[in-house]
């Protein structure tokens, strides 16, 4: 459970400099480290280093601190528990891009959407897992400390088509979204909910054939829960799982920004502090979109787009 730093002048002979760890989560193996520097709160004169490491074959954690070229040291207020890069079910071994030609406006990362528990047996003939959408990385100050922020790269907006936008109040129970009904799981939804009314509400995605993925938010506990126990149209051992995490509203509002693809969902909450990525392997007819609420009256401001393929 250590990251070792080495230096070299010729990339052949290497000299050990220091070790970092153990720290944070220490289950099973540590692997796939990455180290990059980011400005804090957009201030280029105030920068911190971020050390990312994958652990337990299923998760990524990060540490914020300082690196002097020899030793990495975490900030004093770094929690003992793991800070997760992604709080979903499938995100691992991410990589940042080296911006050799100055075309990136930020430090940009992509991760492997898969988990080793079932990566070898997923129903794909062309590969085991795939890359996430690119994410721009930032550091932002919060009362509890400096935290990593992830945002979908702006270039993804070039894929948008068939725009839909409306404001409505959620009805009690479950309802199909009549104004946005794509016939396949290739779309983007950007929804903001008022959290002033005590409620449990959310989305059912990939709905069809008696299956779905549920995203549920409880305004009183401030917990976002994801249920994927009945989603894939083929049996995958250890695939039926749930997860949850605390997501604090901002000024009484909760933002849920989804990117839905044929076999995956990526969710960015609020301004990107909590991110959730998961595989779905839904059937082709599982393209339904539903909202649900325990009580009526919660206001939803929804924008949605079908997305063009990146492949020609």
């Amino acid at each position: 459970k250590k990251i070792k730093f080495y230096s070299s002048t010729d990339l052949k002979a290497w000299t050990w400099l220091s070790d970092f760890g153990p720290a944070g989560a220490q289950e099973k193996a540590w692997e796939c480290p990455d180290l990059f520097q980011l400005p804090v709160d957009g201030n280029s004169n105030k920068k911190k280093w971020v050390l990312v490491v994958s652990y337990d074959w299923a998760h990524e954690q990060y540490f914020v601190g300082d690196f002097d070229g020899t030793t990495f040291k975490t900030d004093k207020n770094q929690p003992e528990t793991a800070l997760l890069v992604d709080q979903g079910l499938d995100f691992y071994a991410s990589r940042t891009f080296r911006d050799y030609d100055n075309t990136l406006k930020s430090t940009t990362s992509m991760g492997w959407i898969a988990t080793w528990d079932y990566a070898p047996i997923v129903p794909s003939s062309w590969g085991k897992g795939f890359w996430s959408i690119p994410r721009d990385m930032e550091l932002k100050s919060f009362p509890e400390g400096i935290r990593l922020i992830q945002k979908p790269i702006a270039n993804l907006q070039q894929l948008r088509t068939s725009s839909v936008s409306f404001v409505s109040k959620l009805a009690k129970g479950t309802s199909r979204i009549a104004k946005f009904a794509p016939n396949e799981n290739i779309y983007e939804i950007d929804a903001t909910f008022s959290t002033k009314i005590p409620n449990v509400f959310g989305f059912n995605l990939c709905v069809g054939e008696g299956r779905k993925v549920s995203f549920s938010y409880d305004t009183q506990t401030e917990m976002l829960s994801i249920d994927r126990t009945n989603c894939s149209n083929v049996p995958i051992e250890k695939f039926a799982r749930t997860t949850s995490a605390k997501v604090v509203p901002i000024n009484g509002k909760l933002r849920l920004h989804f990117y839905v693809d044929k076999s995956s969902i990526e969710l960015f909450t609020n301004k990107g502090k909590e991110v959730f990525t998961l595989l779905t392997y839904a059937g082709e007819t599982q393209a339904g979109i539903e909202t649900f609420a325990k009580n009526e009256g919660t206001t939803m401001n929804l924008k949605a787009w079908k997305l063009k393929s990146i492949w020609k």
Side-chain angles (χ1 to χ4, degrees):
K1 311 305 185 294
K2 292 183 178 181
I3 301 298
K4 292 182 173 289
F5 291 90
Y6 290 82
S7 68
S8 175
T9 57
D10 59 7
L11 304 185
K12 296 179 181 180
W14 293 87
T15 302
W16 173 82
L17 298 176
S18 67
D19 287 352
F20 172 79
Q26 300 167 42
E27 293 85 1
K28 300 180 183 177
W30 273 22
E31 63 172 352
C32 305
D34 199 358
L35 179 68
F36 48 91
Q37 193 178 36
L38 295 174
V40 179
D41 300 323
N43 185 351
S44 59
N45 294 319
K46 181 183 179 182
K47 293 184 178 181
K48 287 287 184 178
W49 287 87
V50 180
L51 177 63
V52 173
V53 58
S54 297
Y55 72 95
D56 82 350
W57 313 119
H59 296 93
E60 273 195 332
Q61 63 180 328
Y62 69 94
F63 303 91
V64 179
D66 296 302
F67 181 63
D68 61 7
T70 300
T71 304
F72 177 84
K73 295 182 179 179
T74 59
D75 287 349
K76 293 181 180 179
N77 61 352
Q78 176 90 23
E80 293 184 5
T81 55
L83 293 174
L84 296 182
V85 175
D86 191 294
Q87 304 200 56
L89 298 169
D90 303 288
F91 189 85
Y92 200 70
S94 66
R95 280 289 166 270
T96 49
F97 290 86
R98 182 67 180 269
D99 190 13
Y100 285 105
D101 57 359
N102 297 315
T103 56
L104 298 178
K105 295 181 180 180
S106 176
T107 298
T108 305
S109 174
M110 294 171 70
W112 182 51
I113 303 184
T115 297
W116 277 115
D117 277 346
Y118 37 79
I121 59 172
V122 295
S124 59
S125 59
W126 44 266
K128 303 305 177 184
F130 42 87
W131 287 110
S132 70
I133 61 174
R135 306 168 177 192
D136 286 339
M137 318 291 275
E138 302 175 8
L139 288 175
K140 185 175 176 60
S141 298
F142 293 90
E144 65 270 29
I146 297 173
R147 297 294 183 262
L148 188 66
I149 299 296
Q150 301 174 75
K151 298 179 179 180
I153 62 167
N155 284 354
L156 289 170
Q157 297 176 18
Q158 298 176 25
L159 302 177
R160 291 173 174 174
T161 183
S162 304
S163 175
V164 171
S165 178
F166 63 89
V167 177
S168 66
K169 290 187 180 297
L170 298 181
K172 182 178 179 179
T174 302
S175 306
R176 285 277 181 137
I177 299 181
K179 295 181 180 180
F180 185 68
N183 56 12
E184 57 183 350
N185 289 317
I186 308 176
Y187 58 85
E188 176 186 354
I189 290 178
D190 192 351
T192 301
F193 297 88
S194 172
T195 59
K196 294 181 180 180
I197 297 176
N199 208 348
V200 177
F201 60 82
F203 284 102
N204 292 326
L205 304 181
C206 304
V207 179
E209 303 176 17
R211 293 185 290 271
K212 64 183 179 182
V213 184
S214 177
F215 296 83
S216 177
Y217 187 76
D218 189 324
T219 59
Q220 294 181 291
T221 63
E222 298 181 337
M223 294 296 292
L224 177 70
S225 300
I226 300 173
D227 187 341
R228 188 190 62 184
T229 54
N230 183 24
C231 175
S232 175
N233 71 333
V234 296
I236 305 172
E237 186 178 359
K238 298 182 180 180
F239 193 73
R241 295 164 60 197
T242 63
T243 190
S244 60
K246 191 177 184 68
V247 180
V248 179
I250 297 177
N251 298 324
K253 296 183 182 298
L254 173 74
R255 183 186 181 196
L256 301 180
H257 189 182
F258 294 92
Y259 282 83
V260 181
D261 207 345
K262 287 283 190 177
S263 297
S264 65
I265 298 173
E266 297 176 62
L267 169 60
F268 300 80
T269 68
N270 293 332
K271 296 183 179 180
K273 183 184 177 188
E274 289 85 22
V275 181
F276 302 81
T277 301
L278 61 148
L279 292 167
T280 59
Y281 289 114
E284 291 291 337
T285 60
Q286 287 179 237
I289 304 171
E290 297 173 339
T291 59
F292 61 85
K294 184 178 180 179
N295 304 306
E296 63 180 9
T298 293
T299 300
M300 176 182 68
N301 188 326
L302 184 141
K303 300 177 182 177
W305 302 264
K306 296 180 181 178
L307 298 177
K308 296 179 290 185
S309 174
I310 64 169
W311 305 105
K312 296 183 179 179

